[in-house]
Amino acid sequence: LDAVKTGVRKWDSPVFDSASGPEKENYPSYFVPHTCDIPSISTDQACETLSRYSHLVFVGDSLMRHLRQALFILLRNHGLVRGGIQTSTFIDMCQCDGQFSEHGVCRLNDGVFNGGSNGEMGVCSNGNFMYKGYEWPENGFDFWDGIDCADPNQGSILFVVEGGLHYGNNADATYRQLLAPHMSHPQFQKCAIHHKLSPIYIGFYAQSLTLDKPYPAQSRVNGRIFNDQMKAFLQTSDFHMLDVLNFTTDSRSSDGLHKLMDVNLVLMYYIVNLADMLFMSSYETPN
């Protein structure tokens, strides 16, 4: 977690490494985690990790939708052409980085993009998990109604939450309205007690400097305050916070906020690696 939080973004040209203006956001870059190497993973490796869970749940806003696009790219092994976008009549316009546009024609996803078994999704043939993606952070609370982690047949749950924009990037409101209702649900608590829950919260995304004037609440200065406050709120909780402010700073985007494919795909690598570590940690802890 600290490796991502304190890592730095690099460019092939030293001119951009030392630049401070928004012009560097238009050029390809790569992220270097602090003091360690977080490897990219193959489809088979991702399936091996995620198939250890019985449920994969992703809750968030449009930023999470793009992250789910990256998940489908990774699991469907279609190269980098397309992931969740399968049935749109405009599919030729929505390939590669086009998948991560907020244009309406590139937001038409196939029937399993928001939920289904791995078999229905056509992924991870050796797995047996259910996937659920919630488009709005205000949704997803009903997921827990069908879960009972006291049942020995209930497997582990990977629960990934992202959100803040819908709450004005106010940490207190985000915690109270988004995370606390999940954490207070009896089944969430029961799953945590039985070591069958791997909850991850993804923090503030950095927007382009060009958007700071029209959207000051989304500025990087506010982002650091937001992440620090969220970390304090979650310090004694079961959530593991992934601080992505440095990771997303000065990275390429389609509109100044929504990141392109390389950023989303690498972030999904980090999440799967973290899911692997959390599962192994819970597996070593007796129920």
Side-chain angles (χ1 to χ4, degrees):
L1 296 175
D2 285 341
V4 175
K5 178 180 178 179
T6 58
V8 293
R9 184 159 292 280
K10 294 285 188 178
W11 285 257
D12 289 333
S13 170
V15 173
F16 293 116
D17 278 335
S18 59
S20 58
E23 67 276 0
K24 63 196 303 182
E25 301 167 5
N26 298 319
Y27 291 87
S29 59
Y30 58 95
F31 186 74
V32 181
H34 181 64
T35 69
C36 77
D37 176 40
I38 303 176
S40 61
I41 55 178
S42 67
T43 296
D44 289 342
Q45 290 170 322
C47 285
E48 180 181 357
T49 292
L50 297 179
S51 293
R52 296 168 181 161
Y53 291 91
S54 66
H55 291 78
L56 313 179
V57 185
F58 293 82
V59 180
D61 50 35
S62 56
L63 297 172
M64 175 59 84
R65 172 162 35 83
H66 288 195
L67 196 52
R68 291 192 285 131
Q69 288 285 144
L71 174 67
F72 272 68
I73 289 175
L74 179 58
L75 295 185
R76 280 179 164 162
N77 199 22
H78 288 167
L80 302 179
V81 178
R82 62 182 186 269
I85 297 175
Q86 300 284 304
T87 57
S88 170
T89 56
F90 299 94
I91 195 168
D92 289 341
M93 298 171 54
C94 305
Q95 300 190 28
C96 301
D97 279 336
Q99 298 172 95
F100 300 91
S101 164
E102 279 295 278
H103 194 291
V105 300
C106 295
R107 296 173 65 172
L108 303 176
N109 302 294
D110 62 36
V112 296
F113 186 73
N114 292 323
S117 68
N118 62 291
E120 292 169 327
M121 295 162 66
V123 302
C124 304
S125 59
N126 293 328
N128 184 26
F129 60 77
M130 293 296 298
Y131 154 83
K132 185 65 179 178
Y134 292 94
E135 173 68 21
W136 297 93
E138 293 83 356
N139 296 329
F141 302 118
D142 60 343
F143 164 76
W144 300 106
D145 296 339
I147 297 298
D148 182 6
C149 284
D151 184 343
N153 294 318
Q154 171 64 58
S156 297
I157 299 168
L158 176 63
F159 193 74
V160 186
V161 183
E162 172 277 327
L165 288 173
H166 286 224
Y167 308 99
N169 290 312
N170 179 284
D172 180 70
T174 301
Y175 177 77
R176 286 187 295 101
Q177 299 178 47
L178 174 60
L179 296 178
H182 288 292
M183 295 163 57
S184 63
H185 196 288
Q187 294 305 326
F188 180 102
Q189 297 176 356
K190 187 181 294 186
C191 290
I193 291 172
H194 286 275
H195 307 289
K196 292 183 178 180
L197 179 64
S198 297
I200 300 171
Y201 174 69
I202 302 172
F204 193 100
Y205 277 55
Q207 71 178 6
S208 168
L209 294 173
T210 61
L211 297 182
D212 282 358
K213 186 173 182 178
Y215 303 106
Q218 297 171 198
S219 70
R220 298 172 190 181
V221 172
N222 189 57
R224 178 54 60 206
I225 296 171
F226 177 92
N227 279 355
D228 288 345
Q229 291 176 340
M230 289 300 296
K231 183 178 180 180
F233 282 135
L234 297 174
Q235 190 169 10
T236 59
S237 78
D238 295 295
F239 269 99
H240 303 266
M241 181 171 171
L242 188 57
D243 186 327
V244 297
L245 185 59
N246 278 5
F247 173 74
T248 53
T249 292
D250 295 328
S251 59
R252 294 192 301 163
S253 66
S254 63
D255 56 8
L257 176 63
H258 295 89
K259 306 305 179 181
L260 297 184
M261 177 169 55
D262 59 339
V263 180
N264 283 285
L265 193 56
V266 171
L267 181 51
M268 184 51 65
Y269 292 159
Y270 293 168
I271 291 171
V272 175
N273 274 291
L274 180 56
D276 183 37
M277 294 173 59
L278 294 177
F279 180 85
M280 297 307 295
S281 176
S282 66
Y283 183 76
E284 294 168 357
T285 305
N287 290 340

